[in-house]
Amino acid sequence: MAVNDDDVCTSKYITLVSNDGFEFVVLREATAISPTIKGMLRNPFSEARTGRCEFPEISAPVLEKVTEYFHYWYKNQDKAVVPDMDIPVELCLEILVAADFLGLDKQQG
Amino acid sequence: MDEEPTLPRLPGPPHRASAIGGYGRKRGRGPLAPAATAACFSTSSDPAVFSSDDDPALDNYIHGRRKKRYVGSWYDQQPASSDSALGDDTRSIPLPKPKRQLRRQLDSGVWLSQGDEIDPDDVLDEVIELDSPRPRLLLPGGTMAPPPQPTNFRYPAEEERAIEIIEDCIESGKEMVDLTHLNLVTISDATLEPINRITRIPIVGEDIPFVPGEPEIKLYLGANFLRRFPDGVFNIANLTELSLRGNFLRELPRSIASLKNLRVLSLVINQLRYMPGEFLDLLREGGKLSEVRLHPNPFYQLKAREFCDFGAVEYQQKTFPPLEPLERPAHWAGMVTTLRARTPVQYFEPTGAVRSDFQIPEPNQSLSADDRLLDHEDFWELAGPKTYRWDKQPQTGSDGEDDQQHGAAGPRTLFELAMNTLARHPDTERTMDLLSEKGMPEHFMQAFERAYRGHKMGGLRCCVCQREMLSPATQWIEFRHVHRQELTPLSIASAIFLALKLSKEPLVPFLRQGCSWKCVPHKAAAPTEPPRRVSVASE
């Protein structure tokens, strides 16, 4: 990753880390839907320098689904008719909590 | 290589030691082992092995050995293998069947097993569960929701009476099912389902040709205590007349549009505040509905007594996808509607929070007569939600955006997607209780209840883009006049008469719901000259 000593990370990708240490590399633009991650990547925070966002509350299977959603949104954001993404039933409560935390519960605008 | 499935170990050669003296199975028949040891074992003819015993690998020359015999496939010989892919599968070794005593009757040639002994082969060991187990919900914190408990269900006495009446109608071929005044609070799908078995009994007589006819079911559920529309009604294929007069219905399900054969509908004296917008599918030219009785009901009304209906046609054409035209018989007469006004749009977050000044009261909120009066918005105006950047929107009322019409929804939020999956889960009702015990945040429970209600009310679709949804992102109410129309061309006098008559009729509100903030009414072009005003009578 292109990290300068005290400069912000300018890489096209950022890394999301789950509570059990799994890392997910996501397009930076795709995470723009989440105001929480956008906030984390702003300058005064360490995440902005390293490009690594750690989520001690989110487990790997959930974060994987969230990552999938980021790309799903990124790919479909300009389309009008979009097929729904599949959410496994056993994960949906945890995904709800994660979506609430990451601010993925608001209409875009 | 670790991925490779491990199979149960192959049974070793019958006896390592016996291999010395040629092939183990081909041993000469010695004197049989004592019967007591042999009887204990079913699949294996090996005698019991104890540490105190002589090494079984060594041939026992004193007692001799039974001949080894294997029955069945090789993997049945060693049922328990701790490391195998079968896991801790401890298959029980079937006990040997006792030899059956066969006996025959003196005059019969057939040998049957004796007495009341049951042949174990004829009996299923256990009832095989047919439906696959439902995926269980994982609560936050990793605990599984407990599986649902089966309950012993009995119908209340009122419903038993309804079942009797329905049985009666089936017996006598009566097409009119009268379930009025039964004090019914609910009526289950299973109770109403047999109505489908009612068949028309043809008139038999001389010179009367046989006419195979579909029955025309008339269902009267008036003067009961129903609070919810009975869903079982949708399963009655040939329902032509439905009366729910004098109940306590607050809402109609959207799926009411699927009652295509309905000719007469009575919803008099209920607690309805609005009609579902989907009901308009039945109220158009060529539709079969010829009589609809809706008043009195505590319907929403407009605050203003006078308003403009300019742009109504343009709004209807550009907002909604065109409906499939219905086949119109030459002499058609039926119920149609005329759009008069609409309210502003109410915008929701997926969590259920309202983002607009205008708000339609919650369905479970009790209302005074003043609360039932709603604002209206002209067809050429459109208010947006608070804190919303309209410049990003394709539907801002400018021209040349026809490609964006009828669906500009875009991807749903993750919250919505997960909520939709959750609300469709069969165990949802119990989960809701569990969650409220666990103390979920308030806004979660609200969103959850909204989604669940949407699910319960039947397949909800966005009225603009026709996408399935569980909780709406936008909603507004259209006010329409419901009136009877005949296809014969109206004379000027009768047209004036109709307009006069309608102005005294109360308006009927129809709820429209969209799946995203882009699914909103189309903004009609502003009038160039002061438009005609319409006035309506107060209730």
Side-chain angles (χ1 to χ4, degrees), chain B residues 183-214:
Chain B
N183 297 336
L184 290 166
V185 181
T186 55
I187 187 158
S188 70
D189 300 5
T191 309
L192 288 174
E193 206 277 324
I195 292 182
N196 270 320
R197 298 211 305 267
I198 296 179
T199 43
R200 172 168 280 185
I201 296 176
I203 309 155
V204 183
E206 247 178 83
D207 301 329
I208 300 173
F210 172 74
V211 189
E214 289 287 310

mmCIF file of all heavy atoms in Angstrom, chain B residues 183-214:
data_model
loop_
_atom_site.group_PDB
_atom_site.id
_atom_site.type_symbol
_atom_site.label_atom_id
_atom_site.label_comp_id
_atom_site.label_asym_id
_atom_site.label_seq_id
_atom_site.Cartn_x
_atom_site.Cartn_y
_atom_site.Cartn_z
ATOM 1 N N ASN B 183 -70.491 -14.200 15.676
ATOM 2 C CA ASN B 183 -69.523 -13.692 16.656
ATOM 3 C C ASN B 183 -68.109 -14.112 16.330
ATOM 4 O O ASN B 183 -67.291 -14.346 17.225
ATOM 5 C CB ASN B 183 -69.858 -14.166 18.075
ATOM 6 C CG ASN B 183 -71.199 -13.635 18.522
ATOM 7 O OD1 ASN B 183 -71.656 -12.613 18.007
ATOM 8 N ND2 ASN B 183 -71.826 -14.324 19.452
ATOM 9 N N LEU B 184 -67.813 -14.273 15.051
ATOM 10 C CA LEU B 184 -66.463 -14.685 14.657
ATOM 11 C C LEU B 184 -65.473 -13.562 14.923
ATOM 12 O O LEU B 184 -65.730 -12.409 14.591
ATOM 13 C CB LEU B 184 -66.427 -15.004 13.161
ATOM 14 C CG LEU B 184 -67.159 -16.249 12.699
ATOM 15 C CD1 LEU B 184 -67.311 -16.215 11.203
ATOM 16 C CD2 LEU B 184 -66.411 -17.481 13.134
ATOM 17 N N VAL B 185 -64.369 -13.902 15.540
ATOM 18 C CA VAL B 185 -63.296 -12.926 15.740
ATOM 19 C C VAL B 185 -62.226 -13.142 14.681
ATOM 20 O O VAL B 185 -61.669 -12.206 14.126
ATOM 21 C CB VAL B 185 -62.712 -13.043 17.157
ATOM 22 C CG1 VAL B 185 -61.624 -12.010 17.358
ATOM 23 C CG2 VAL B 185 -63.811 -12.854 18.184
ATOM 24 N N THR B 186 -61.944 -14.399 14.424
ATOM 25 C CA THR B 186 -61.052 -14.735 13.307
ATOM 26 C C THR B 186 -61.699 -15.889 12.575
ATOM 27 O O THR B 186 -62.538 -16.596 13.120
ATOM 28 C CB THR B 186 -59.678 -15.211 13.793
ATOM 29 O OG1 THR B 186 -59.875 -16.303 14.695
ATOM 30 C CG2 THR B 186 -58.904 -14.107 14.458
ATOM 31 N N ILE B 187 -61.292 -16.079 11.372
ATOM 32 C CA ILE B 187 -61.723 -17.271 10.652
ATOM 33 C C ILE B 187 -60.516 -17.752 9.859
ATOM 34 O O ILE B 187 -59.892 -17.001 9.125
ATOM 35 C CB ILE B 187 -62.971 -17.003 9.791
ATOM 36 C CG1 ILE B 187 -63.477 -18.299 9.190
ATOM 37 C CG2 ILE B 187 -62.761 -15.938 8.749
ATOM 38 C CD1 ILE B 187 -64.938 -18.259 8.785
ATOM 39 N N SER B 188 -60.138 -18.992 10.100
ATOM 40 C CA SER B 188 -58.865 -19.472 9.560
ATOM 41 C C SER B 188 -59.027 -19.902 8.102
ATOM 42 O O SER B 188 -60.133 -20.136 7.617
ATOM 43 C CB SER B 188 -58.343 -20.638 10.383
ATOM 44 O OG SER B 188 -59.171 -21.752 10.162
ATOM 45 N N ASP B 189 -57.888 -19.985 7.428
ATOM 46 C CA ASP B 189 -57.884 -20.393 6.022
ATOM 47 C C ASP B 189 -58.463 -21.790 5.865
ATOM 48 O O ASP B 189 -59.186 -22.075 4.919
ATOM 49 C CB ASP B 189 -56.448 -20.396 5.475
ATOM 50 C CG ASP B 189 -55.815 -19.035 5.560
ATOM 51 O OD1 ASP B 189 -56.463 -18.132 6.119
ATOM 52 O OD2 ASP B 189 -54.689 -18.881 5.073
ATOM 53 N N ALA B 190 -58.149 -22.651 6.837
ATOM 54 C CA ALA B 190 -58.579 -24.037 6.738
ATOM 55 C C ALA B 190 -60.095 -24.142 6.821
ATOM 56 O O ALA B 190 -60.697 -25.032 6.229
ATOM 57 C CB ALA B 190 -57.927 -24.854 7.840
ATOM 58 N N THR B 191 -60.732 -23.228 7.534
ATOM 59 C CA THR B 191 -62.188 -23.252 7.648
ATOM 60 C C THR B 191 -62.838 -22.870 6.331
ATOM 61 O O THR B 191 -63.843 -23.456 5.924
ATOM 62 C CB THR B 191 -62.639 -22.258 8.735
ATOM 63 O OG1 THR B 191 -61.890 -22.528 9.904
ATOM 64 C CG2 THR B 191 -64.104 -22.378 9.017
ATOM 65 N N LEU B 192 -62.261 -21.862 5.669
ATOM 66 C CA LEU B 192 -62.888 -21.359 4.450
ATOM 67 C C LEU B 192 -62.539 -22.212 3.230
ATOM 68 O O LEU B 192 -63.258 -22.196 2.239
ATOM 69 C CB LEU B 192 -62.429 -19.916 4.193
ATOM 70 C CG LEU B 192 -63.004 -18.872 5.151
ATOM 71 C CD1 LEU B 192 -62.370 -17.525 4.901
ATOM 72 C CD2 LEU B 192 -64.513 -18.775 5.012
ATOM 73 N N GLU B 193 -61.473 -22.958 3.330
ATOM 74 C CA GLU B 193 -60.971 -23.697 2.170
ATOM 75 C C GLU B 193 -62.011 -24.647 1.554
ATOM 76 O O GLU B 193 -62.150 -24.700 0.339
ATOM 77 C CB GLU B 193 -59.698 -24.441 2.578
ATOM 78 C CG GLU B 193 -58.725 -24.737 1.451
ATOM 79 C CD GLU B 193 -59.097 -25.974 0.712
ATOM 80 O OE1 GLU B 193 -59.577 -26.910 1.368
ATOM 81 O OE2 GLU B 193 -58.924 -25.991 -0.527
ATOM 82 N N PRO B 194 -62.794 -25.391 2.392
ATOM 83 C CA PRO B 194 -63.755 -26.329 1.804
ATOM 84 C C PRO B 194 -64.808 -25.676 0.922
ATOM 85 O O PRO B 194 -65.463 -26.370 0.139
ATOM 86 C CB PRO B 194 -64.415 -26.983 3.014
ATOM 87 C CG PRO B 194 -63.521 -26.739 4.145
ATOM 88 C CD PRO B 194 -62.803 -25.480 3.861
ATOM 89 N N ILE B 195 -64.978 -24.365 1.018
ATOM 90 C CA ILE B 195 -65.988 -23.690 0.187
ATOM 91 C C ILE B 195 -65.718 -23.969 -1.287
ATOM 92 O O ILE B 195 -66.641 -24.040 -2.105
ATOM 93 C CB ILE B 195 -65.984 -22.168 0.485
ATOM 94 C CG1 ILE B 195 -66.491 -21.938 1.897
ATOM 95 C CG2 ILE B 195 -66.830 -21.400 -0.518
ATOM 96 C CD1 ILE B 195 -66.587 -20.508 2.301
ATOM 97 N N ASN B 196 -64.460 -24.187 -1.628
ATOM 98 C CA ASN B 196 -64.105 -24.509 -3.008
ATOM 99 C C ASN B 196 -64.752 -25.790 -3.491
ATOM 100 O O ASN B 196 -64.836 -26.029 -4.690
ATOM 101 C CB ASN B 196 -62.587 -24.658 -3.129
ATOM 102 C CG ASN B 196 -61.947 -23.340 -3.466
ATOM 103 O OD1 ASN B 196 -62.481 -22.596 -4.269
ATOM 104 N ND2 ASN B 196 -60.835 -23.063 -2.845
ATOM 105 N N ARG B 197 -65.187 -26.623 -2.546
ATOM 106 C CA ARG B 197 -65.750 -27.904 -2.959
ATOM 107 C C ARG B 197 -67.224 -27.783 -3.319
ATOM 108 O O ARG B 197 -67.833 -28.749 -3.765
ATOM 109 C CB ARG B 197 -65.573 -28.930 -1.843
ATOM 110 C CG ARG B 197 -64.125 -29.212 -1.512
ATOM 111 C CD ARG B 197 -63.958 -30.644 -1.045
ATOM 112 N NE ARG B 197 -64.835 -30.970 0.072
ATOM 113 C CZ ARG B 197 -64.466 -30.860 1.354
ATOM 114 N NH1 ARG B 197 -63.280 -30.441 1.654
ATOM 115 N NH2 ARG B 197 -65.299 -31.187 2.305
ATOM 116 N N ILE B 198 -67.795 -26.614 -3.085
ATOM 117 C CA ILE B 198 -69.203 -26.427 -3.455
ATOM 118 C C ILE B 198 -69.322 -26.484 -4.967
ATOM 119 O O ILE B 198 -68.604 -25.792 -5.683
ATOM 120 C CB ILE B 198 -69.733 -25.070 -2.934
ATOM 121 C CG1 ILE B 198 -69.706 -25.048 -1.414
ATOM 122 C CG2 ILE B 198 -71.140 -24.803 -3.460
ATOM 123 C CD1 ILE B 198 -70.178 -23.758 -0.807
ATOM 124 N N THR B 199 -70.186 -27.347 -5.439
ATOM 125 C CA THR B 199 -70.387 -27.425 -6.886
ATOM 126 C C THR B 199 -71.844 -27.140 -7.194
ATOM 127 O O THR B 199 -72.728 -27.380 -6.377
ATOM 128 C CB THR B 199 -70.032 -28.824 -7.426
ATOM 129 O OG1 THR B 199 -70.572 -29.784 -6.538
ATOM 130 C CG2 THR B 199 -68.536 -28.990 -7.539
ATOM 131 N N ARG B 200 -72.046 -26.635 -8.361
ATOM 132 C CA ARG B 200 -73.409 -26.308 -8.772
ATOM 133 C C ARG B 200 -74.137 -27.598 -9.115
ATOM 134 O O ARG B 200 -73.634 -28.421 -9.873
ATOM 135 C CB ARG B 200 -73.330 -25.387 -9.986
ATOM 136 C CG ARG B 200 -74.636 -25.112 -10.632
ATOM 137 C CD ARG B 200 -74.519 -23.997 -11.610
ATOM 138 N NE ARG B 200 -74.544 -22.709 -10.909
ATOM 139 C CZ ARG B 200 -74.554 -21.548 -11.547
ATOM 140 N NH1 ARG B 200 -74.532 -21.518 -12.862
ATOM 141 N NH2 ARG B 200 -74.577 -20.419 -10.885
ATOM 142 N N ILE B 201 -75.284 -27.764 -8.539
ATOM 143 C CA ILE B 201 -76.089 -28.954 -8.865
ATOM 144 C C ILE B 201 -76.964 -28.591 -10.056
ATOM 145 O O ILE B 201 -77.779 -27.666 -9.989
ATOM 146 C CB ILE B 201 -76.942 -29.385 -7.660
ATOM 147 C CG1 ILE B 201 -76.005 -29.797 -6.524
ATOM 148 C CG2 ILE B 201 -77.878 -30.509 -8.046
ATOM 149 C CD1 ILE B 201 -76.692 -30.158 -5.239
ATOM 150 N N PRO B 202 -76.756 -29.249 -11.185
ATOM 151 C CA PRO B 202 -77.506 -28.856 -12.390
ATOM 152 C C PRO B 202 -78.990 -29.199 -12.254
ATOM 153 O O PRO B 202 -79.375 -30.125 -11.542
ATOM 154 C CB PRO B 202 -76.848 -29.669 -13.488
ATOM 155 C CG PRO B 202 -76.184 -30.807 -12.806
ATOM 156 C CD PRO B 202 -75.889 -30.395 -11.409
ATOM 157 N N ILE B 203 -79.797 -28.399 -12.928
ATOM 158 C CA ILE B 203 -81.238 -28.638 -12.898
ATOM 159 C C ILE B 203 -81.529 -29.828 -13.808
ATOM 160 O O ILE B 203 -81.121 -29.842 -14.970
ATOM 161 C CB ILE B 203 -82.016 -27.400 -13.404
ATOM 162 C CG1 ILE B 203 -81.520 -26.167 -12.649
ATOM 163 C CG2 ILE B 203 -83.504 -27.576 -13.262
ATOM 164 C CD1 ILE B 203 -81.712 -24.884 -13.395
ATOM 165 N N VAL B 204 -82.181 -30.810 -13.256
ATOM 166 C CA VAL B 204 -82.483 -31.989 -14.053
ATOM 167 C C VAL B 204 -83.971 -31.965 -14.399
ATOM 168 O O VAL B 204 -84.818 -31.810 -13.534
ATOM 169 C CB VAL B 204 -82.143 -33.271 -13.258
ATOM 170 C CG1 VAL B 204 -82.385 -34.496 -14.128
ATOM 171 C CG2 VAL B 204 -80.715 -33.221 -12.788
ATOM 172 N N GLY B 205 -84.284 -32.063 -15.642
ATOM 173 C CA GLY B 205 -85.679 -32.079 -16.042
ATOM 174 C C GLY B 205 -85.763 -32.354 -17.530
ATOM 175 O O GLY B 205 -84.745 -32.349 -18.228
ATOM 176 N N GLU B 206 -86.923 -32.606 -17.985
ATOM 177 C CA GLU B 206 -87.094 -32.886 -19.401
ATOM 178 C C GLU B 206 -86.864 -31.613 -20.203
ATOM 179 O O GLU B 206 -87.237 -30.522 -19.777
ATOM 180 C CB GLU B 206 -88.519 -33.409 -19.654
ATOM 181 C CG GLU B 206 -88.514 -34.850 -20.102
ATOM 182 C CD GLU B 206 -89.929 -35.357 -20.310
ATOM 183 O OE1 GLU B 206 -90.470 -35.101 -21.396
ATOM 184 O OE2 GLU B 206 -90.452 -35.983 -19.361
ATOM 185 N N ASP B 207 -86.277 -31.757 -21.341
ATOM 186 C CA ASP B 207 -86.030 -30.649 -22.265
ATOM 187 C C ASP B 207 -85.123 -29.556 -21.699
ATOM 188 O O ASP B 207 -85.041 -28.475 -22.249
ATOM 189 C CB ASP B 207 -87.355 -29.994 -22.713
ATOM 190 C CG ASP B 207 -88.250 -31.009 -23.396
ATOM 191 O OD1 ASP B 207 -87.674 -31.923 -24.021
ATOM 192 O OD2 ASP B 207 -89.474 -30.893 -23.278
ATOM 193 N N ILE B 208 -84.526 -29.843 -20.594
ATOM 194 C CA ILE B 208 -83.579 -28.851 -20.090
ATOM 195 C C ILE B 208 -82.184 -29.377 -20.392
ATOM 196 O O ILE B 208 -81.797 -30.438 -19.895
ATOM 197 C CB ILE B 208 -83.742 -28.618 -18.575
ATOM 198 C CG1 ILE B 208 -85.161 -28.129 -18.284
ATOM 199 C CG2 ILE B 208 -82.715 -27.606 -18.074
ATOM 200 C CD1 ILE B 208 -85.485 -28.016 -16.821
ATOM 201 N N PRO B 209 -81.447 -28.659 -21.229
ATOM 202 C CA PRO B 209 -80.113 -29.165 -21.552
ATOM 203 C C PRO B 209 -79.192 -29.027 -20.339
ATOM 204 O O PRO B 209 -79.342 -28.126 -19.512
ATOM 205 C CB PRO B 209 -79.664 -28.260 -22.698
ATOM 206 C CG PRO B 209 -80.448 -27.017 -22.536
ATOM 207 C CD PRO B 209 -81.731 -27.378 -21.881
ATOM 208 N N PHE B 210 -78.238 -29.938 -20.250
ATOM 209 C CA PHE B 210 -77.293 -29.882 -19.149
ATOM 210 C C PHE B 210 -76.288 -28.762 -19.399
ATOM 211 O O PHE B 210 -75.659 -28.698 -20.454
ATOM 212 C CB PHE B 210 -76.570 -31.223 -19.024
ATOM 213 C CG PHE B 210 -75.448 -31.185 -18.036
ATOM 214 C CD1 PHE B 210 -75.710 -31.167 -16.678
ATOM 215 C CD2 PHE B 210 -74.129 -31.153 -18.460
ATOM 216 C CE1 PHE B 210 -74.690 -31.120 -15.758
ATOM 217 C CE2 PHE B 210 -73.095 -31.103 -17.538
ATOM 218 C CZ PHE B 210 -73.373 -31.097 -16.186
ATOM 219 N N VAL B 211 -76.183 -27.871 -18.469
ATOM 220 C CA VAL B 211 -75.227 -26.771 -18.604
ATOM 221 C C VAL B 211 -74.199 -26.909 -17.486
ATOM 222 O O VAL B 211 -74.529 -26.687 -16.329
ATOM 223 C CB VAL B 211 -75.931 -25.403 -18.500
ATOM 224 C CG1 VAL B 211 -74.959 -24.294 -18.857
ATOM 225 C CG2 VAL B 211 -77.164 -25.364 -19.383
ATOM 226 N N PRO B 212 -73.002 -27.297 -17.832
ATOM 227 C CA PRO B 212 -72.005 -27.359 -16.768
ATOM 228 C C PRO B 212 -71.583 -25.947 -16.397
ATOM 229 O O PRO B 212 -71.091 -25.195 -17.235
ATOM 230 C CB PRO B 212 -70.850 -28.131 -17.394
ATOM 231 C CG PRO B 212 -70.995 -27.938 -18.861
ATOM 232 C CD PRO B 212 -72.430 -27.611 -19.145
ATOM 233 N N GLY B 213 -71.867 -25.558 -15.204
ATOM 234 C CA GLY B 213 -71.555 -24.177 -14.814
ATOM 235 C C GLY B 213 -70.634 -24.142 -13.617
ATOM 236 O O GLY B 213 -70.676 -25.009 -12.752
ATOM 237 N N GLU B 214 -69.804 -23.124 -13.612
ATOM 238 C CA GLU B 214 -68.984 -22.891 -12.422
ATOM 239 C C GLU B 214 -69.911 -22.338 -11.340
ATOM 240 O O GLU B 214 -70.829 -21.576 -11.639
ATOM 241 C CB GLU B 214 -67.914 -21.859 -12.740
ATOM 242 C CG GLU B 214 -66.832 -22.365 -13.670
ATOM 243 C CD GLU B 214 -65.905 -23.340 -12.979
ATOM 244 O OE1 GLU B 214 -65.430 -22.990 -11.892
ATOM 245 O OE2 GLU B 214 -65.690 -24.439 -13.510
#
